[in-house]
Amino acid sequence: MAEPTIYEISSQDRIGFRFPACDVPETALPEGLIRDELPMPEVSELDVIRHFTNLSRLNYSIDSGYYPLGSCTMKYNPKINEEVARLPGFAFSHPLQPVETVQGNLAMMYELQLWLAEICGMAGVTLQPAAGAQGEYTGVLIIRAYHHSRGDLKRTKMLIPDSAHGTNPATSAMSGFEVVGITTDANGNVDLDALKAVLDDTVAGLMLTNPNTLGLFDQNVEEVIRLVHEAGGLVYGDGANLNALLGIVRPGDLGFDIMHFNLHKTFSTPHGGGGPGSGPVGVAKHLVEFLPFPLVGIIEEGDEETPPLYGFVRPEKTIGRMKSFHGQFGMMVRAYNYISMHGPDGLRDIAESAVLNANYLLARLRNTYNVPFDRICMHEFVMEGHLDDAPDVHALDIAKRLMDYDFHPPTNYFPLIVHEALMIEPTETENKQTLDRFADVLIKIAEEARTNPDLLHTAPHHTPVGRLDEVRAAKELVLCCWLPDKI
Amino acid sequence: MFTPHTDSEREEMLRVIGVRKLDDLFADVPIKLRFPNLELPPAFTEIEARMQMEELAGANETAHDLACFLGAGAYYHYTPAAVDAIIRRGEFLTAYTPYQPEVSQGTLQAVFEFQSLIANLTGMDVSNASHYDGATATAEAAVMAYHHFRGKRTRFILSPSLNPQYREVVKTYMGGYENINLAGENLDPLCQPDDLASLLDDNTALLIVQYPDFFGRIFDFTALIEKAHQFGALVAVAVNPMSLGVLKTPGAMGADIAVGEGQSLGLPLSFGGPYLGFFATKKEYVRKIAGRLVGETADAEGRRGYVLTLTAREQHIRREKATSNICTNQGLMALATTVYMSLLGKHGLKQLANLCYQKAHYAAEQISKLDGYSVVSQRPFFHEFVVKCPKPVDEINWHLLDHDILGGYDLGQDYPSLAGHMLIAVTEMVSKDEIDALCEALEEVNNG
Amino acid sequence: MNIPTNLKYTNTDEWVLVDGNTATIGVTDHAQEQLSDVVFVEITVNVGDKLAKKTTIATVESVKAAADVNLPVSGKVIAINEDLPQTPELVNTDPYGKAWMIKVELDNPAELDALMDAAGYEKHTKE
């Protein structure tokens, strides 16, 4: 049964929540500035709880099943993180309070900055950016500021591999750069010849994801970085795939100048159906002075008896402010707790297990599906959702059929450089039984594709709704559940 | 630690993969840099981790322990128990972005309802699924206006009474475009809408005002918006959504865009985040909106369902031609405010706005009776007002802390001409007794 | 796939119908096949605009893709198809007829020589 909308279950004059009576003498509200109507729902508290509980049951989630989504790192979101983020000392602190009254928050943020810097081999970290895309934006702005500070205004190009996530070119364009694409070679590495052909003194930098979106560690990464540095450019690391590198290698050691983290991927903060995320950025020494303001720092040194006084500092050549206040603090608390529960050994175990799981699945599936790059993968791999002897079946059909077996599909049609791509990232928190079941189902679906393709074309059959008419949605554009004549 | 593998499972998996040991899987990593020693504290178990976090949280004094009169863009409001109960459900909390709509109808319908509630609250036609916060939503309004005029209009007028942090973020976001002129900063911060009108010209893409403004003042912008439209410019109103429980809407004033910070709709203070940006506009601009949009449709059996729509605008398809790079937004916070707005509903939202208004007016009246203090905001105001103080604001605030009171915002930090002025906010969480205690303490500082 | 022989083509899937000194521009059958159901068309230039070759004159959006339509030859815009934005599906059903986008007065007819003919375009679509 479909769940009605909150407006459809409203009943005039029904009350859901009561505030205490006003304890001060009342004055009149300003004339001419009062609204006529307030078209809001009128429901009871039970209506609300039942409505949203019923909606929640229409959702797939990590708590209920496995998400093999490449580049999303859908690992288990520890429940303890939810508890600690809600501690009153954190939850009720106002961002503009005097720093002396929130030393707990600031000490934690300062230490998180240090930890993230240590994990990726960088000299400075900002926790301010709200999500990966905003982290990228921060990074690209820093690159621009760096070149401008040296009087170098002709570097207007940003090099981006063709396997990159869409946010990379979008971010570069937003920052006023011209995007130049770099091809990937037959081994799944950045094509060195293509790179050399475009490197000159008009290149500001290269945005590189390593391991890349094919799940492959670039076998020439140090050379790629060296070439860009030699041409005077900087190298930005998209940290979406950091899960494969924790305790294995540090991007800073490889030569990356700047990178972002996705706390909602690598560091287990929950996806929440589309956020909030958090995208801290780490930079090498020569870029620390450009970090956004405010940055958490020590404003009074401590000694053996007193701890230091933490506060906010303004980097000398700061690119400015990326968002209001200090960043997604609640997500920082969760990530901090997560890192403290792993320590160096635990972090390495994450990467090892993630890479083990991905390679295990790859080994189980490579005889059924075509895998274009025949190498050991990192934490994810890409295979083609297209079988030679089932030409009418596409990656989309396989994805939809997976839902009938209670699995969320892998990432579809990305990266763009693999035909009918299915990108699979199991993460380290899935056990062998789940992986075996997933592989078995995918093998079964390949068989169904040959013998009964229609089953795939009309899938999914067992979900709350079937395939939805997206053309109709885009044409009719019903974006509100109020008056039908609104849109 | 949350990895499940046993030794024998690991061995079996390595065998199937065809490598001898785990390290072999990392052969592509440069050998000299492989397996660095990370200088991090050793792992805590859950019990130890929790104790550490309790210690850190315990080192703070917060709005929970103090009477809170601090606002300036983030407000202490009550979060009903039902809100947290819903957002802690794993089905919402741990769900992915709803790219596969068949298994994400919970998230999609909740976002559809969020869009509807925001559109109705602000009096606009459509809303998107959220931005990071009020500041970035305001910046996206500027970016949208820039692209609407295809870069041919380059003047952006920002009211001096716009939240200073919003202004900073707009500057950051407009920095990537050529020849942008950001006007309005040099006006007197407490100026009137007419003063802004004098800055309008044919090169103006967007005028941004705040409502209530940073100083708590309420103006009817209808006439100003008409003037801006005569010049062909767009107008964005950055609005406190909670105030719309009683106040005339930006839509009713003719605004093209309504943006703002949704934190005041029951989201905890949480030291500045995660918060919630909202973005609502007129139907004619729907294709220019950045961020996700959920639309209604049906499946082959005629069952109503919801999907992400107009996705061709977004970064994953448009790539460098996308007008915004936004991907992950504030999904769970949008859900939280949807539950909040549903629970409070017509009656509760009005009651809440009225409580804040009344308590703030009572506080302003009592403070204006104190020697040495004067309330300088022009009336009418909503739930914040400006007080000229007899001593430096931080000195007063230190004294207030001794009385378990969190004092207002020192406006001198952002506006040199307002040094010695404090911005006081009052919400439903403050009682009459606490307001009276504030007045006593303020009096004490002046005399002491 | 339909590739009328009386038209000229670009390698970015626009077609040009030449009539004296006037050129009519639209997108090809091949283009609409790639896009699938077109839900939105926006013509981003005005009558009277003097435009250089390669200027973007329209955007076409489907559920899964968005594409810019670029001017194959320089000229002055003398007409735009006001009906097309109301009925974007015409791009799918009648790409060479009712889904014409703009008409320009040619600045430099020699530019037409750089365009492909039907045979050349057909070859291009197979690559």
Side-chain angles (χ1 to χ4, degrees):
Chain A
M1 264 290 303
E3 178 66 22
T5 68
I6 192 73
Y7 279 105
E8 286 165 349
I9 62 178
S10 289
S11 186
Q12 194 171 30
D13 298 333
R14 192 172 284 166
I15 303 273
F17 187 82
R18 285 173 177 76
F19 287 95
C22 185
D23 58 356
V24 299
E26 298 203 33
T27 63
L29 292 166
E31 238 185 79
L33 283 165
I34 306 305
R35 70 184 297 157
D36 301 321
E37 282 174 15
L38 182 53
M40 290 283 117
E42 294 173 273
V43 291
S44 69
E45 183 167 328
L46 177 55
D47 290 333
V48 170
I49 292 291
R50 205 167 265 171
H51 175 70
F52 289 100
T53 299
N54 288 337
L55 282 183
S56 79
R57 281 145 138 227
L58 300 173
N59 263 6
Y60 191 92
S61 61
I62 296 179
D63 277 7
S64 63
Y66 162 52
Y67 272 97
L69 281 168
S71 270
C72 295
T73 313
M74 297 296 284
K75 64 173 75 184
Y76 171 61
N77 308 139
K79 297 300 178 190
I80 183 64
N81 287 349
E82 295 311 305
E83 296 276 308
V84 298
R86 286 167 168 80
L87 288 168
F90 294 137
F92 296 110
S93 49
H94 190 293
L96 299 172
Q97 290 184 214
V99 297
E100 291 83 353
T101 60
V102 283
Q103 288 296 297
N105 291 349
L106 294 168
M108 189 212 79
M109 287 172 73
Y110 186 76
E111 194 158 33
L112 180 62
Q113 287 174 181
L114 289 179
W115 287 356
L116 290 175
E118 175 65 11
I119 288 169
C120 68
M122 291 292 175
V125 168
T126 170
L127 300 174
Q128 205 186 91
Q134 224 200 22
E136 288 175 38
Y137 188 40
T138 305
V140 171
L141 289 181
I142 290 179
I143 291 176
R144 192 178 73 188
Y146 171 80
H147 291 306
H148 284 197
S149 78
R150 303 167 96 236
D152 191 347
L153 300 171
K154 54 178 164 22
R155 293 184 183 271
T156 54
K157 299 196 186 111
M158 192 64 73
L159 307 182
I160 299 181
D162 52 10
S163 56
H165 191 275
T167 48
N168 289 180
T171 303
S172 301
M174 266 168 82
S175 318
F177 285 108
E178 182 195 327
V179 172
V180 174
I182 307 285
T183 46
T184 303
D185 70 17
N187 292 319
N189 301 317
V190 166
D191 187 326
L192 286 173
D193 291 329
L195 178 64
K196 286 177 191 156
V198 292
L199 275 173
D200 63 21
D201 62 0
T202 63
V203 168
L206 167 73
M207 293 182 84
L208 185 65
T209 309
N210 187 48
N212 62 22
T213 58
L214 300 164
L216 302 172
F217 192 95
D218 197 307
Q219 290 158 323
N220 309 309
V221 66
E222 287 185 293
E223 176 64 4
V224 166
I225 294 177
R226 192 193 66 75
L227 285 167
V228 176
H229 283 162
E230 201 174 63
L234 296 177
V235 182
Y236 178 89
D238 182 322
N241 291 334
L242 191 64
N243 213 41
L245 304 184
L246 295 171
I248 306 298
V249 72
R250 306 192 313 169
D253 294 343
L254 290 170
F256 283 90
D257 300 287
I258 177 167
M259 67 172 281
H260 82 264
F261 303 84
N262 296 73
L263 297 189
H264 50 298
K265 295 186 182 188
T266 319
F267 297 98
S268 87
T269 74
H271 274 74
S278 178
V281 168
V283 296
K285 208 157 69 147
H286 49 287
L287 298 176
V288 170
E289 56 187 344
F290 299 99
L291 285 171
F293 162 80
L295 188 64
V296 179
I298 291 177
I299 54 181
E300 259 171 51
E301 293 292 342
D303 53 36
E304 304 88 52
E305 280 161 37
T306 41
L309 181 69
Y310 298 97
F312 295 106
V313 298
R314 187 180 195 101
E316 253 188 61
K317 299 189 177 149
T318 181
I319 55 170
R321 179 180 273 288
M322 300 307 299
K323 70 178 299 293
S324 53
F325 307 122
H326 325 307
Q328 311 264 40
F329 179 75
M331 318 327 281
M332 295 174 208
V333 175
R334 291 169 171 86
Y336 179 89
N337 193 53
Y338 181 76
I339 296 171
S340 75
M341 284 180 69
H342 282 81
D345 294 338
L347 291 176
R348 179 165 162 178
D349 177 54
I350 289 172
E352 287 178 340
S353 304
V355 172
L356 177 70
N357 277 357
N359 278 287
Y360 179 69
L361 265 183
L362 175 58
R364 288 225 43 209
L365 291 169
R366 65 163 13 114
N367 294 326
T368 310
Y369 290 89
N370 185 31
V371 178
F373 298 96
D374 193 12
R375 282 169 56 183
I376 294 281
C377 65
M378 296 263 87
H379 65 312
E380 65 189 7
F381 64 95
V382 181
M383 63 189 206
E384 281 178 13
H386 193 255
L387 302 153
D388 290 328
D389 48 359
D392 279 332
V393 171
H394 298 278
L396 181 71
D397 304 310
I398 296 172
K400 298 299 183 190
R401 183 63 179 151
L402 268 168
M403 291 192 254
D404 285 335
Y405 289 99
D406 293 326
F407 282 117
H408 190 281
T411 308
N412 267 185
Y413 298 106
F414 179 77
L416 303 174
I417 55 176
V418 174
H419 185 57
E420 302 279 351
L422 286 171
M423 190 188 347
I424 294 174
E425 177 185 357
T427 83
E428 74 282 5
T429 51
E430 297 303 326
N431 62 36
K432 184 173 177 293
Q433 291 74 29
T434 305
L435 300 182
D436 280 329
R437 203 162 52 84
F438 183 62
D440 291 341
V441 163
L442 273 172
I443 291 168
K444 179 154 189 238
I445 291 177
E447 190 49 36
E448 286 176 350
R450 292 181 186 101
T451 56
N452 192 359
D454 231 30
L455 204 51
L456 277 65
H457 288 132
T458 52
H461 309 101
H462 308 317
T463 48
V465 292
R467 289 201 207 189
L468 291 158
D469 190 343
E470 298 191 3
V471 175
R472 172 176 158 179
K475 281 211 179 129
E476 291 181 13
L477 277 188
V478 177
L479 303 173
C480 285
C481 52
W482 193 230
L483 310 161
D485 56 273
K486 232 182 196 324
I487 285 289
Chain B
M1 298 214 299
F2 304 98
T3 53
H5 305 95
T6 64
D7 287 337
S8 64
E9 282 170 341
R10 229 178 262 119
E11 260 173 53
E12 169 63 14
M13 290 165 81
L14 287 171
R15 194 191 59 74
V16 168
I17 293 168
V19 294
R20 273 186 38 245
K21 50 190 189 353
L22 210 42
D23 285 3
D24 292 345
L25 295 175
F26 297 102
D28 286 330
V29 178
I31 196 161
K32 283 200 292 228
L33 302 172
R34 222 183 289 170
F35 310 132
N37 255 329
L38 297 179
E39 305 229 342
L40 297 169
F44 276 165
T45 59
E46 180 174 319
I47 298 176
E48 294 159 306
R50 186 187 211 129
M51 279 166 37
Q52 175 183 248
M53 297 314 274
E54 283 177 2
E55 206 183 301
L56 284 168
N60 297 334
E61 268 193 286
T62 71
H64 201 234
D65 325 296
L66 311 164
C68 181
F69 292 94
L70 180 56
Y75 304 93
Y76 181 39
H77 289 291
Y78 181 73
T79 306
V83 173
D84 213 38
I86 295 298
I87 68 171
R88 284 186 86 153
R89 291 186 67 86
E91 298 93 330
F92 280 129
L93 181 71
T94 70
Y96 182 59
T97 309
Y99 288 129
Q100 299 290 351
E102 299 88 342
V103 290
S104 317
Q105 287 299 297
T107 296
L108 286 163
Q109 184 169 333
V111 175
F112 183 76
E113 292 177 5
F114 170 78
Q115 289 171 186
S116 310
L117 293 171
I118 292 291
N120 289 327
L121 190 61
T122 57
M124 308 301 289
D125 296 329
V126 292
S127 153
N128 76 2
S130 73
H131 284 287
Y132 307 132
D133 61 13
T136 51
T138 305
E140 291 277 12
V143 171
M144 176 175 131
Y146 177 83
H147 286 289
H148 175 71
F149 292 105
R150 296 204 196 107
K152 297 210 174 74
R153 287 189 180 222
T154 53
R155 186 171 168 88
F156 294 79
I157 303 173
L158 276 54
S159 167
S161 64
L162 177 69
N163 184 318
Q165 291 192 0
Y166 288 27
R167 182 196 317 283
E168 281 173 49
V169 174
V170 170
K171 268 195 190 143
T172 304
Y173 271 69
M174 296 313 290
Y177 302 103
E178 305 236 325
N179 303 321
I180 300 298
N181 165 227
L182 293 178
E185 207 167 352
N186 297 326
L187 293 174
D188 175 356
L190 292 171
C191 72
Q192 311 288 315
D194 280 343
D195 301 311
L196 282 173
S198 64
L199 294 178
L200 291 163
D201 65 11
D202 288 328
N203 186 34
T204 305
L206 183 71
L207 164 66
I208 306 177
V209 293
Q210 185 172 324
Y211 172 69
D213 71 8
F214 187 61
F215 308 112
R217 304 176 305 168
I218 325 171
F219 293 104
D220 189 337
F221 292 118
T222 308
L224 176 61
I225 292 175
E226 255 168 50
K227 284 210 183 83
H229 286 163
Q230 276 161 25
F231 282 96
L234 298 177
V235 181
V237 177
V239 57
N240 179 345
M242 187 273 297
S243 72
L244 297 176
V246 294
L247 293 183
K248 182 172 179 179
T249 66
M253 293 180 188
D256 300 289
I257 303 169
V259 290
E261 179 51 69
Q263 183 270 327
S264 63
L265 293 172
L267 298 181
L269 284 168
S270 193
F271 205 51
Y275 284 174
L276 174 67
F278 62 86
F279 190 108
T281 184
K282 291 180 172 164
K283 117 170 80 158
E284 66 204 80
Y285 301 120
V286 72
R287 294 200 135 73
K288 315 259 166 123
I289 305 179
R292 299 197 174 118
L293 282 170
V294 173
E296 186 184 303
T297 183
D299 69 2
E301 319 275 316
R303 287 177 289 198
R304 181 170 70 186
Y306 302 91
V307 287
L308 291 176
T309 192
L310 295 192
T311 50
R313 301 158 300 127
E314 295 184 66
Q315 48 77 28
H316 58 290
I317 291 182
R318 239 15 197 131
R319 297 175 71 90
E320 67 268 13
K321 297 234 170 84
T323 55
S324 167
N325 70 349
I326 190 166
C327 184
T328 298
N329 42 82
Q330 301 293 104
L332 196 71
M333 313 326 290
L335 173 65
T337 61
T338 304
V339 177
Y340 182 81
M341 287 187 275
S342 300
L343 184 68
L344 264 62
K346 195 180 204 141
H347 180 88
L349 286 167
K350 185 170 170 187
Q351 196 185 7
L352 171 65
N354 188 53
L355 276 174
C356 294
Y357 182 88
Q358 300 301 345
K359 291 181 189 245
H361 282 73
Y362 173 74
E365 204 191 296
Q366 300 303 105
I367 290 173
S368 62
K369 291 179 187 159
L370 302 172
D371 276 339
Y373 296 89
S374 60
V375 173
V376 304
S377 315
Q378 178 213 324
R379 279 155 203 225
F381 62 92
F382 182 62
H383 75 336
E384 275 182 295
F385 53 93
V386 178
V387 177
K388 186 165 192 298
C389 301
K391 294 208 166 139
V393 173
D394 60 352
E395 193 183 310
I396 296 178
N397 279 338
W398 277 119
H399 185 93
L400 291 177
L401 273 173
D402 283 339
H403 289 270
D404 290 338
I405 298 172
L406 191 54
Y409 184 71
D410 183 356
L411 288 169
Q413 288 173 92
D414 298 297
Y415 302 94
S417 63
L418 293 176
H421 289 66
M422 183 191 287
L423 179 67
I424 292 185
V426 187
T427 69
E428 82 281 12
M429 297 305 284
V430 167
S431 70
K432 176 175 178 293
D433 287 344
E434 285 170 327
I435 297 172
D436 292 338
L438 168 69
C439 292
E440 269 175 46
L442 285 175
E443 204 165 31
E444 223 177 77
V445 187
N446 192 25
N447 298 335
Chain C
M1 160 145 31
N2 190 9
I3 305 179
T5 47
N6 63 326
L7 303 177
K8 292 210 153 258
Y9 300 87
T10 66
N11 61 1
T12 46
D13 306 316
E14 290 94 3
W15 56 261
V16 185
L17 170 67
V18 185
D19 184 8
N21 205 37
T22 304
T24 306
I25 287 123
V27 299
T28 65
D29 189 33
H30 175 70
Q32 70 78 18
E33 249 178 35
Q34 301 278 300
L35 286 165
S36 92
D37 302 271
V38 172
V39 295
F40 180 67
V41 177
E42 186 185 15
I43 297 177
T44 54
V45 297
N46 300 309
V47 171
D49 286 345
K50 289 208 177 102
L51 304 167
K53 196 167 78 159
K54 300 226 175 114
T55 311
T56 301
I57 56 120
T59 315
V60 179
E61 261 180 50
S62 69
V63 167
K64 56 175 190 161
D68 287 333
V69 182
N70 301 315
L71 196 53
V73 286
S74 346
K76 187 170 92 167
V77 181
I78 55 175
I80 62 176
N81 186 346
E82 313 258 4
D83 297 325
L84 186 57
Q86 262 70 269
T87 40
E89 57 272 16
L90 285 172
V91 175
N92 298 115
T93 56
D94 194 5
Y96 300 110
K98 297 212 184 75
W100 67 273
M101 294 184 179
I102 67 170
K103 292 187 202 280
V104 298
E105 194 178 273
L106 292 170
D107 250 356
N108 182 1
E111 285 170 342
L112 292 167
D113 300 335
L115 303 176
M116 291 184 254
D117 62 10
Y121 182 63
E122 181 164 3
K123 195 156 152 275
H124 167 76
T125 62
K126 295 203 160 76
E127 277 161 18

